[in-house]
């Protein structure tokens, strides 16, 4: 049984013309995706995630001298972590004399919680720690660590 196929020469498509239509489009706008990635990177260290948790639970601004005893690191290292969080726009500070008082920027975590359901971001730190940001059923969860050492923040 012979089938006659008409052969046509191969043609190049014009520059800029897509070969096919995309099947799906992203739900997250590019700017929001970049912002979420920046926040995920800033929260990619368990100490930073714990700092955000402590600052978020505190009623007002917290002096850095109150934060140092909570962690097994020196004040310069703690200040480095706070600087990374400040650069990501998650926390801010106010100077009073020699001390800096830190607080969570009110809209920072709300902005992150505006991401659509089903978003999942996982960041590995240089130490091999994992930080996961997931949004399910309208609840944003930021998780760090494994098992008994895990920390969960729900927004």
């Amino acid at each position: 049984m012979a089938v006659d196929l008409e052969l046509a020469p191969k043609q190049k498509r014009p520059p800029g013309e897509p070969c096919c239509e995309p099947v799906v489009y992203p739900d997250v706008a590019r700017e929001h995706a970049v912002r979420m990635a920046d926040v995920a990177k800033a929260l990619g260290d368990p100490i930073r995630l714990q700092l955000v948790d402590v600052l978020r639970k505190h009623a007002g601004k917290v002096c850095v001298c109150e934060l140092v005893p909570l962690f097994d690191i020196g004040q310069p290292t703690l200040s480095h972590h706070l600087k990374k969080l400040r650069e990501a726009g998650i926390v801010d500070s106010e100077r009073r004399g020699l001390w800096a008082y830190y607080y969570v920027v009110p809209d920072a975590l709300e902005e992150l919680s505006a991401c659509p359901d089903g978003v999942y971001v996982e960041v590995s730190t240089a130490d091999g720690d994992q930080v996961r940001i997931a949004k399910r059923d309208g609840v944003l969860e930021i998780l760090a660590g494994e098992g008994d050492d895990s920390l969960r923040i729900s927004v």
Side-chain angles (χ1 to χ4, degrees):
M1 174 188 239
V3 176
D4 289 334
L5 293 175
E6 189 175 320
L7 298 176
K10 200 174 187 182
Q11 293 183 357
K12 267 188 145 176
R13 67 178 190 275
E17 185 178 305
C19 66
C20 56
E21 286 295 316
V23 179
V24 294
Y25 291 90
D27 289 333
V28 181
R30 174 81 177 140
E31 298 81 28
H32 192 71
V34 168
R35 174 76 181 128
M36 285 179 60
D38 288 345
V39 169
K41 287 177 190 174
L43 294 173
D45 187 286
I47 289 178
R48 291 184 204 147
L49 192 60
Q50 288 176 315
L51 279 167
V52 170
D53 189 40
V54 168
L55 294 173
R56 183 175 84 86
K57 289 177 181 175
H58 202 277
K61 298 171 183 167
V62 183
C63 179
V64 77
C65 67
E66 295 174 59
L67 295 171
V68 172
L70 299 175
F71 302 95
D72 192 26
I73 57 175
Q75 186 273 328
T77 305
L78 185 74
S79 291
H80 165 76
H81 287 299
L82 289 166
K83 177 183 173 191
K84 291 291 185 185
L85 292 169
R86 219 175 39 248
E87 288 171 350
I90 300 168
V91 302
D92 205 356
S93 65
E94 176 184 297
R95 280 228 173 259
R96 295 184 197 160
L98 295 176
W99 297 105
Y101 289 78
Y102 288 87
Y103 57 94
V104 173
V105 174
D107 297 337
L109 296 178
E110 293 304 318
E111 176 188 20
L112 190 58
S113 68
C115 67
D117 269 0
V119 167
Y120 181 83
V121 179
E122 188 166 319
V123 178
S124 295
T125 66
D127 299 336
D129 294 318
Q130 300 281 318
V131 174
R132 295 167 302 284
I133 298 174
K135 176 122 183 234
R136 287 175 283 190
D137 301 324
V139 177
L140 181 75
E141 292 184 328
I142 305 168
L143 306 124
E146 298 291 332
D148 293 340
D149 294 333
S150 67
L151 172 67
R152 176 185 303 247
I153 298 176
S154 295
V155 179

